[in-house]
């Protein structure tokens, strides 16, 4: 790990456009990624470059999205529609 703090690293390598909303959400996985590789953190959360999804991750996201849609519908007292949930791409 480098001797730079996270804020120093972001200042030194900031993109030309101002970065917005990088600190809106802080999680254990973000902090772990920063600890392992600050460049990977920058690419993912500052530059917005996403790594390719594996098939199992894709299926997990779809199942999670569908279950979330079903439980949200049940929570408000409606039946889930047969269409695609709005949160899925």
């Amino acid at each position: 790990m480098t001797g730079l703090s996270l804020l120093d690293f972001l200042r030194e390598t900031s993109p030309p456009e101002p970065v917005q909303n990088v600190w809106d959400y802080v999680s254990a996985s973000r902090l772990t990624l920063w600890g392992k590789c600050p460049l990977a953190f920058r690419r993912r959360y500052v530059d917005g470059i996403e790594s390719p999804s594996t098939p199992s991750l894709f299926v997990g996201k779809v199942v999670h999205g569908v279950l979330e849609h079903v439980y949200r519908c049940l929570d408000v007292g409606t039946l889930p529609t047969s269409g695609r949930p709005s949160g899925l791409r």
Side-chain angles (χ1 to χ4, degrees):
M1 187 165 148
T2 66
L4 292 175
S5 72
L6 178 58
L7 292 174
D8 292 336
F9 177 78
L10 291 175
R11 269 190 222 112
E12 288 182 10
T13 60
S14 62
E17 304 89 34
V19 177
Q20 296 179 7
N21 302 326
V22 172
W23 300 109
D24 281 352
Y25 180 73
V26 176
S27 67
S29 59
R30 284 185 177 207
L31 294 174
T32 300
L33 183 59
W34 164 252
K36 287 181 180 179
C37 181
L39 182 58
F41 175 89
R42 177 183 166 72
R43 286 184 176 166
R44 180 165 185 185
Y45 297 110
V46 176
D47 298 336
I49 301 171
E50 294 185 22
S51 57
S53 180
T54 63
S56 58
L57 185 58
F58 173 77
V59 170
K61 285 182 178 182
V62 170
V63 168
H64 184 271
V66 169
L67 289 174
E68 181 180 10
H69 176 72
V70 168
Y71 284 108
R72 283 182 190 259
C73 288
L74 294 175
D75 191 40
V76 295
T78 62
L79 295 175
T81 62
S82 60
R84 180 178 220 166
S86 60
L88 297 178
R89 294 180 204 169

